[in-house]
Amino acid sequence: MSKKFQLPKGTRDILPDEQSCWKQIAQVIREITRIYGYECLGLPVFEDTALFQRGVGESTDIVEKEMYTFLDKGGHSITLRPEFTAGVVRSYIQHGMASWPTPVKLWNEGSIFRYERPQAGRFRQFHQFNVEALGEKDPVLDFEIMDLAWQFYHRLQFEKLNFQLNSIGCPECRPHYLKVLASYYQKHLNTICEDCRKRLNRNPLRLLDCKQDRCQPVIEKAPAIYNHLCKDCTDHFNSLQDYLRSTDRSYILNHRLVRGLDYYTRTVFEVWAEGIGSQNAVCGGGRYDGLVELLGGQPTPAVGFAAGLERIVMIMQHQNQNRSEHAESLIYFACQHTDAQKQAIIYVNQLRAKNIPCMMGMGGRSLKAQFREANRRKAQYAVIIGDEELENQTVIVKNMENGEQKILNGDRFIQDFDAEPGS
Ligand code: HAM
């Protein structure tokens, strides 16, 4: 027997019964990006590996362990995008977007690839809705980005979400905080895990992100970075919180929130959802004022976020929202033999030209079998063309919901049929 292929680990098929959720998400994305003034930017699925090494950061989990990197046939190192932001910045610089009206407001949607350990809500290929605004340092833009995220979930009728907020400072004040953090951790070397001992030297901010039980009490009592910010970062953070409070956008200050990508400065935030297990972050983002310069452009402040769409679909299915979509009416033509089928082809073409969904039985099956198919496809009407109907140029129209049957003139039936027939 030949081998039965299975999905690669960490990937999934998006079957038709899930499509209504994806369609709804796509609609909301289009609505909110339009009303907030963001334009769509399509990006390649792969980029030079060095872009992500430099942009996301050499010592991040993404670059160290999770990238799908390979040499192409020309010997170039290529990486399937593990996020959008670095690609957006590459495109911003390459197309001279600094001369566009500021802030440049862009959004993307598409597949992202990370070689992670798969579990519920965590995949190796997943989708992000990504939003970036470049060229403005005003904290009101941080607010707008968070507000856009809030609106996104609100329009998808999500409840039980909470916004986690922190500021991780800037190159001015962060080094000072890291010294304070390191000296605090020196006192707890015997308590913390092996990984954290390594982090202490390599990437001390990530100490606050450790999930090991033994490190939790140490993290809880660690000095909070937002109490060690420079004046500019403090003012920025306070203004953002003022905007959030004045619009009743509730949030939780979380000094442990440091994010897993190296480019962040000042504001970082995540949106957490209840009821979908441990992978509960449905959105993450923040400010990255140094990234454009790091990737070869002029110093340019920027802020953005990305929302993971699979996790959103999981919640929508949990809330049964996909059931609410109105099923489109379908007309199914059941034909007795080839001549009837020829007539059905003409009718079906005429209806499809009016954008009315219809299909016909095939394969020379009995009328009974065709009816069964019409039922399984949840057709609202079955149209039967038998010998007598063909001769008289009529059709039998059966309402599949109440079983009512009518004999109608074929051409007239097609002509008069609109989306709400039966009248
Ligand atoms: P991120 O936090 O790495 O940020 O990813 C954003 C969101 O993608 C997460 O909150 C989660 O919903 C989803 N996600 C991440 N990994 C997985 C996975 N393995 N399976 C399923 N969903 C996942 C970024 O990617 C930044 N580029 C966001 C950003 C944009 N910051 C500024 N601008």
Side-chain angles (χ1 to χ4, degrees):
M1 222 171 48
S2 57
K3 175 181 157 76
K4 270 197 195 146
F5 291 100
Q6 298 283 319
L7 279 169
K9 214 170 156 190
T11 65
R12 55 195 299 279
D13 296 324
I14 303 175
L15 296 177
D17 68 353
E18 202 183 291
Q19 293 293 342
S20 61
C21 291
W22 289 86
K23 202 166 123 195
Q24 210 178 328
I25 293 170
Q27 268 163 5
V28 171
I29 289 176
R30 275 185 173 72
E31 265 167 38
I32 56 160
T33 51
R34 187 176 65 82
I35 60 176
Y36 280 77
Y38 286 71
E39 292 180 297
C40 183
L41 171 70
L43 290 175
V45 166
F46 56 85
E47 301 260 5
D48 279 349
T49 300
L51 174 72
F52 300 116
Q53 287 170 332
R54 174 103 58 98
V56 174
E58 293 276 8
S59 67
T60 58
D61 283 353
I62 291 180
V63 171
E64 275 190 348
K65 304 182 215 160
E66 297 170 3
M67 296 207 302
Y68 281 88
T69 298
F70 56 94
L71 289 183
D72 68 10
K73 294 200 191 305
H76 303 290
S77 183
I78 291 294
T79 294
L80 300 185
R81 61 186 179 209
E83 61 124 35
F84 275 113
T85 312
V88 171
V89 170
R90 194 259 317 131
S91 180
Y92 175 88
I93 298 168
Q94 185 167 350
H95 297 283
M97 294 184 199
S99 65
W100 295 10
T102 300
V104 175
K105 295 171 153 194
L106 302 166
W107 67 272
N108 328 85
E109 193 273 325
S111 287
I112 296 294
F113 304 87
R114 292 183 192 175
Y115 190 79
E116 290 197 79
R117 201 164 41 79
Q119 62 180 82
R122 198 206 274 153
F123 305 98
R124 291 181 173 171
Q125 179 180 358
F126 59 98
H127 295 76
Q128 282 186 345
F129 163 45
N130 184 71
V131 177
E132 311 287 1
L134 301 104
E136 179 57 71
K137 64 177 177 7
D138 192 328
V140 78
L141 187 59
D142 307 42
F143 164 75
E144 187 185 82
I145 283 282
M146 289 184 70
D147 191 54
L148 196 159
W150 190 90
Q151 273 295 345
F152 176 57
Y153 295 106
H154 178 68
R155 287 185 183 222
L156 288 169
Q157 291 153 35
F158 275 28
E159 296 145 15
K160 297 189 187 152
L161 288 176
N162 60 63
F163 277 71
Q164 305 281 319
L165 179 68
N166 194 13
S167 171
I168 56 167
C170 68
E172 291 271 302
C173 52
R174 199 183 306 154
H176 164 69
Y177 168 72
L178 292 182
K179 276 189 199 148
V180 174
L181 186 67
S183 75
Y184 165 80
Y185 263 83
Q186 286 298 340
K187 291 181 225 141
H188 299 280
L189 283 180
N190 293 334
T191 319
I192 60 177
C193 71
E194 189 55 38
D195 280 345
C196 279
R197 265 180 241 134
K198 287 186 203 143
R199 285 186 190 118
L200 192 52
N201 296 320
R202 294 190 60 213
N203 199 345
L205 209 52
R206 296 304 304 278
L207 286 164
L208 300 170
D209 211 15
C210 181
K211 303 287 179 294
Q212 296 285 331
D213 285 348
R214 57 189 298 183
C215 296
Q216 300 314 305
V218 183
I219 298 174
E220 281 313 318
K221 297 213 170 76
I225 186 163
Y226 48 69
N227 294 327
H228 292 81
L229 301 174
C230 60
K231 181 170 182 319
D232 285 354
C233 287
T234 304
D235 289 350
H236 188 97
F237 199 40
N238 287 342
S239 301
L240 168 60
Q241 292 183 71
D242 272 350
Y243 292 126
L244 290 169
R245 277 193 298 264
S246 65
T247 48
D248 285 335
R249 298 278 184 263
S250 59
Y251 61 91
I252 296 165
L253 275 189
N254 179 353
H255 80 96
R256 306 178 50 160
L257 186 73
V258 291
R259 310 272 300 128
L261 303 98
D262 276 357
Y263 46 65
Y264 291 110
T265 51
R266 296 191 170 168
T267 312
V268 287
F269 71 96
E270 286 188 356
V271 183
W272 294 355
E274 283 176 26
I276 57 164
S278 61
Q279 299 305 307
N280 65 346
V282 288
C283 170
R287 194 163 259 290
Y288 50 97
D289 291 344
L291 185 60
V292 179
E293 195 179 6
L294 185 71
L295 295 179
Q298 294 299 314
T300 308
V303 56
F305 75 80
L309 302 188
E310 277 72 7
R311 293 181 191 174
I312 292 174
V313 169
M314 278 168 70
I315 297 173
M316 289 171 84
Q317 288 187 318
H318 195 65
Q319 295 179 351
N320 257 346
Q321 285 183 7
N322 55 334
R323 300 252 169 102
S324 65
E325 204 194 40
H326 171 66
E328 248 188 327
S329 61
L330 172 73
I331 308 178
Y332 184 96
F333 283 78
C335 319
Q336 210 162 21
H337 47 58
T338 321
D339 286 341
Q341 186 113 49
K342 281 185 189 150
Q343 183 59 59
I345 290 172
I346 295 169
Y347 290 152
V348 160
N349 275 342
Q350 289 171 343
L351 287 171
R352 286 181 181 154
K354 298 206 292 180
N355 288 332
I356 293 168
C358 47
M359 55 174 72
M360 56 191 175
M362 294 178 182
R365 276 175 291 166
S366 67
L367 279 179
K368 201 170 155 201
Q370 293 181 65
F371 265 118
R372 248 197 326 268
E373 191 194 336
N375 254 325
R376 291 190 62 193
R377 291 188 183 278
K378 300 192 175 69
Q380 258 129 1
Y381 293 92
V383 178
I384 304 128
I385 312 177
D387 287 339
E388 210 171 308
E389 289 73 39
L390 201 58
E391 175 142 353
N392 299 337
Q393 297 185 341
T394 53
V395 289
I396 303 172
V397 179
K398 179 174 177 179
N399 182 325
M400 299 295 279
E401 244 165 61
N402 57 21
E404 224 176 77
Q405 260 180 226
K406 288 182 195 165
I407 300 177
L408 301 172
N409 173 286
D411 288 338
R412 178 105 25 89
F413 165 71
I414 302 294
Q415 233 172 46
D416 294 350
F417 196 93
D418 57 33
E420 291 302 326
S423 47

